[in-house]
Amino acid sequence: MRGIRETITRWTRNYLREQPPHPAAIAELYLLCISLLWFLPGFLAPELFGGGNAYPFIIFEYGGVYLFAAVLFGCSAALLLALVRRKTGAGGRVIALAVALFLLYLVPAYLAGSMQMILPFYVPGWVYFGLSPAVDVLMSAAISLSGIALLALATIAPILLIDRYVPMKRPYAAALALGILLFPCLAAAIFMVDPVPSLIPWLSLSLSTLSVLCLGVAGAAVLSIPLVVRRLLKGSGNAPRQARVFGLLLLCLLLVWFVPGYLEPGLFLMGHDYPDPGLKMKWFIPYDSGDHEYSRFAVPTIEGNYLIDEDRFLIRPPASPLSGTALRAVYTREHTGEQYVVDQWWYNNQRTFRDEKMRLLDSLTGSGEISETTLDLGDHLLAAGFERSDAERKYPAWLFVNETARGYILTYERPFDDGRSNDFFIVYYGTFNTVGPDPDRSLKALIAQRLSPSAIRAPGEGLDEGEHLNRMPEAKPFLYISEMIRYAGILLLTPFLFGCSAALLFAGALTELETQKRRLAVAIPLLAAVLLFLSLISGYLTGSTWMPIPPFYLPTSEPLGVSTLLEVLLNLLIFLSALTLIGLGVIAPYLLLRRHLPLKRPFRAVLVSGTLVFGILIYPLMMMHAVWQGLRPAPWISLLAWMALGFCLAAAWAVVIYAVQAAAGRKG
């Protein structure tokens, strides 16, 4: 293998005569890469983008196409970096290039009347804009090629900045790797972006595009941190400055605290605004496991108890005209025997949601009368625990009536994450089999149990708007692959960032101890006691005994029961001090046993040890504790014991890992 590499290197040097390639050659290769990225995935696997089969095996069948696209994007990022570094001396030209690419992406989309951030992979025969085939291809090429270039520029922007202060040994290889690693996150973001609600319609595309670009810049910056840590610790033989070491340590700890929960909160703690898919599937279906003499669930209301038929609970409605996730519950009113049904359809795409509302309207119009109405749920909402301001409002709905049934249709848009989620619901509340003397009171009582006042919308909203052609069908398998890789990346990135923080803590602590000539046997227990005290001080201030590790920060989680800003600051104090305590547990064994554990590259050994300890032991252990046991109150002694246990486990496993590395070094 080494001989092949040396031969290729020699041939390349002879061909180029040890001169860098001409910018024109780089530009031609760059255009070829982004053209292939635009054309080949859709050409090789049109079923992937044409709404074809979305079963799990598609992920493996088309995994090669996905990997090929990711590598092409990484190559385009590396080539663009070569062009930018060759032709750019100041950052102003990079900004000008970004603005030019941004306009090249937006203008054709505005001309086509599209408000979505989508990079179309061209498949012959698609009609994106309804124009002639030649114009259609040219506009699609302008959108896609400039969009790919814009994403690549966002990927390399942090490298251009970092390289000024911490020169990278192989910047082009770094750009290639970052592009490939960021591709799943960027692809998932693009395919999941819906038009952003805005008072100015054309502003939606700009905002959604900028959000994806910011994600690319932030992701590249985070992934560049390990490269900076490696360069800083390797250095020129002199000890790095303490300010840089501890500043970078703080940054790594902040990223471990913030990034996982921000990128994928569903992987961590499920707050009220972050329900998992299992909860979303039945979110607006009233249910309550009350004590009752029957073997059924009971939903108590001011109209009496409504018993859920378990045999017909959460079953897909028969012959449903909708394509969303559909679930049903059938209720029997206690003592009267009246039966009612609640159907819920859940969607992740706004366009599909609007199309299905239209289909539902056409279906109901053919079997009865449907009219717009408003619901006054005042006393029912007050009894269900809602605020008086919510009870005084009237809510839009459709009323459906025929000879055998009567019901209401309600629609909800983005009820989670303060209106930023891509979740849409259609819910039908109606009579079942027979109509009682006053069904409206029962229907309103059921509606009030699971109402979301801020997310409710008129069912007819948006049906009269002009149809905007979507430039690309839903690519569900492509999105599935992106999400799987993104989840795995987050789970791997978090321990690696912690390993970097352990290496930085080791470098800073070693320099400080050697400079101040302090005894390790005294300094380490003292520092551990200080960190343990800092991690508990927030609990003492708030009177809380909640186990706070994790959480990774979620904007709406308030385990301490205080204001949002104070809750963030207190959680930050808890988490950073606790992470530092675990990091101290990783480095303490080597600091104390350096004479008995001779390691050739101690910084690398600490990084590996921190990554393995956090990723294999501490991280899963605390996650399982948080998910299975919940953040439950515990006595102070339990809280102290749990945090001390984390420190001891980290130290014990670090000893084993160091011993293995030392033994491997001796054999080598």
Side-chain angles (χ1 to χ4, degrees):
M1 189 67 184
R2 181 179 298 177
I4 295 175
R5 185 175 61 184
E6 292 176 353
T7 303
I8 294 174
T9 303
R10 185 174 62 255
W11 286 353
T12 304
R13 287 179 178 177
N14 291 337
Y15 177 74
L16 296 175
R17 297 178 183 177
E18 297 188 0
Q19 296 294 325
H22 194 275
I26 300 176
E28 290 172 1
L29 193 57
Y30 170 69
L31 289 175
L32 176 62
C33 279
I34 60 176
S35 299
L36 291 175
L37 181 57
W38 171 58
F39 182 82
L40 281 183
F43 180 79
L44 293 175
E47 303 91 351
L48 200 69
F49 308 98
N53 201 339
Y55 288 103
F57 70 85
I58 293 293
I59 295 174
F60 302 98
E61 183 177 351
Y62 295 109
V65 177
Y66 184 94
L67 179 61
F68 181 59
V71 172
L72 281 175
F73 180 75
C75 291
S76 69
L79 290 166
L80 185 61
L81 176 63
L83 285 173
V84 170
R85 291 187 73 189
R86 185 71 57 85
K87 291 295 183 181
T88 303
R93 294 185 181 181
V94 176
I95 297 175
L97 178 60
V99 173
L101 291 172
F102 191 68
L103 293 176
L104 281 174
Y105 177 82
L106 294 180
V107 170
Y110 288 146
L111 293 176
S114 176
M115 294 295 115
Q116 280 188 296
M117 166 67 179
I118 295 181
L119 303 179
F121 294 89
Y122 175 64
V123 175
W126 283 6
V127 180
Y128 298 130
F129 308 114
L131 305 172
S132 66
V135 177
D136 169 63
V137 172
L138 289 175
M139 293 184 71
S140 296
I143 294 171
S144 187
L145 299 185
S146 57
I148 294 170
L150 195 59
L151 290 175
L153 187 62
T155 301
I156 67 175
I159 298 178
L160 291 170
L161 179 62
I162 292 170
D163 196 45
R164 288 187 174 185
Y165 304 99
V166 185
M168 295 184 181
K169 187 176 181 180
R170 298 182 179 89
Y172 304 117
L176 173 68
L178 291 185
I180 295 173
L181 292 174
L182 279 175
F183 187 79
C185 200
L186 293 173
I190 291 169
F191 283 106
M192 294 181 69
V193 165
D194 276 316
V196 180
S198 174
L199 297 176
I200 306 175
W202 59 263
L203 191 60
S204 299
L205 181 59
S206 301
L207 294 176
S208 58
T209 304
L210 285 173
S211 68
V212 176
L213 293 179
C214 291
L215 179 63
V217 174
V222 171
L223 292 175
S224 299
I225 294 297
L227 299 175
V228 177
V229 172
R230 178 179 180 274
R231 183 69 176 178
L232 180 65
L233 294 181
K234 191 174 182 181
S236 58
N238 298 323
R241 294 181 180 178
Q242 289 292 81
R244 290 184 180 181
V245 171
F246 286 112
L248 202 53
L249 168 64
L250 180 61
L251 177 60
C252 284
L253 293 176
L254 285 171
L255 290 175
V256 174
W257 174 63
F258 182 82
V259 168
Y262 178 78
L263 289 179
E264 193 50 53
L267 285 177
F268 303 100
L269 299 183
M270 304 298 180
H272 180 269
D273 290 335
Y274 292 93
D276 61 21
L279 292 176
K280 289 181 180 179
M281 290 174 65
K282 55 185 178 181
W283 190 258
F284 290 104
I285 293 181
Y287 64 94
D288 188 5
S289 56
D291 296 331
H292 200 270
E293 58 181 334
Y294 300 103
S295 60
R296 301 175 178 179
F297 296 111
V299 180
T301 71
I302 59 173
E303 302 297 327
N305 287 342
Y306 292 82
L307 312 178
I308 303 176
D309 189 340
E310 294 182 70
D311 296 331
R312 289 180 288 184
F313 181 47
L314 303 182
I315 299 176
R316 185 179 299 277
S320 171
L322 305 180
S323 59
T325 303
L327 299 174
R328 160 171 290 184
V330 177
Y331 301 82
T332 301
R333 186 177 181 181
E334 193 177 26
H335 303 308
T336 67
E338 301 170 14
Q339 288 191 319
Y340 299 90
V341 64
V342 178
D343 290 335
Q344 175 192 285
W345 295 272
W346 167 39
Y347 305 92
N348 297 117
N349 183 274
Q350 189 175 29
R351 184 169 178 263
T352 305
F353 169 67
R354 186 180 64 177
D355 292 343
E356 299 299 351
K357 284 197 298 182
M358 183 66 74
R359 292 185 192 178
L360 179 60
L361 177 62
D362 294 340
S363 175
L364 294 179
T365 303
S367 58
E369 296 182 2
I370 190 168
S371 59
E372 295 183 359
T373 186
T374 56
L375 292 173
D376 185 358
L377 306 173
D379 54 343
H380 298 92
L381 288 177
L382 291 175
F386 285 82
E387 299 290 338
R388 181 167 295 277
S389 58
D390 294 326
E392 293 174 352
R393 289 177 52 192
K394 294 185 178 181
Y395 299 94
W398 278 340
L399 172 62
F400 171 73
V401 179
N402 65 11
E403 296 179 354
T404 60
R406 180 182 180 87
Y408 293 98
I409 297 98
L410 285 77
T411 58
Y412 297 92
E413 297 185 9
R414 309 176 190 274
F416 313 117
D417 195 15
D418 297 328
R420 295 188 295 270
S421 65
N422 287 323
D423 298 294
F424 306 89
F425 296 85
I426 300 174
V427 192
Y428 172 74
Y429 300 84
T431 58
F432 190 73
N433 294 333
T434 59
V435 179
D438 188 9
D440 277 2
R441 293 286 298 177
S442 294
L443 293 175
K444 290 180 179 179
L446 290 172
I447 292 171
Q449 296 300 308
R450 300 295 295 173
L451 191 74
S452 179
S454 62
I456 196 168
R457 300 289 185 270
E461 183 177 299
L463 296 183
D464 297 331
E465 296 179 2
E467 179 72 15
H468 296 297
L469 291 174
N470 194 350
R471 295 196 301 274
M472 188 174 66
E474 296 180 39
K476 289 185 178 179
F478 199 89
L479 182 58
Y480 292 161
I481 299 171
S482 297
E483 290 181 341
M484 288 181 63
I485 297 177
R486 183 163 61 101
Y487 295 159
I490 294 170
L491 293 174
L492 293 174
L493 175 65
T494 305
F496 193 65
L497 284 173
F498 180 80
C500 291
S501 68
L504 289 165
L505 182 63
F506 172 70
L510 185 62
T511 304
E512 185 70 19
L513 291 172
E514 290 179 348
T515 303
Q516 301 297 329
K517 298 181 179 180
R518 299 182 184 277
R519 294 182 60 187
L520 293 174
V522 176
I524 291 177
L526 181 62
L527 181 58
V530 171
L531 291 171
L532 187 63
F533 175 75
L534 287 176
S535 61
L536 296 176
I537 194 171
S538 299
Y540 284 115
L541 290 176
T542 59
S544 172
T545 55
W546 291 85
M547 180 61 221
I549 304 175
F552 294 88
Y553 172 61
L554 302 180
T556 54
S557 65
E558 296 184 4
L560 302 178
V562 293
S563 66
T564 303
L565 179 59
L566 182 58
E567 182 254 336
V568 172
L569 294 176
L570 292 175
N571 269 326
L572 178 62
L573 176 62
I574 294 171
F575 199 79
L576 293 185
S577 55
L579 278 182
T580 309
L581 181 65
I582 297 174
L584 182 64
V586 171
I587 70 172
Y590 181 70
L591 288 173
L592 294 171
L593 302 173
R594 278 188 298 167
R595 295 180 180 179
H596 308 285
L597 289 173
L599 296 174
K600 187 176 181 180
R601 296 183 178 90
F603 294 111
R604 181 184 296 180
V606 171
L607 188 149
V608 172
S609 179
T611 302
L612 294 177
V613 166
F614 193 71
I616 296 177
L617 180 68
I618 302 298
Y619 184 46
L621 181 65
M622 292 184 173
M623 285 305 305
M624 288 187 292
H625 174 79
V627 174
W628 293 348
Q629 301 296 327
L631 298 179
R632 298 180 180 178
W636 287 112
I637 188 64
S638 299
L639 195 58
L640 288 167
W642 174 255
M643 301 188 72
L645 177 64
F647 174 83
C648 295
L649 287 175
W653 277 94
V655 169
V656 175
I657 296 171
Y658 291 136
V660 171
Q661 293 183 78
R666 288 179 180 177
K667 290 182 180 179

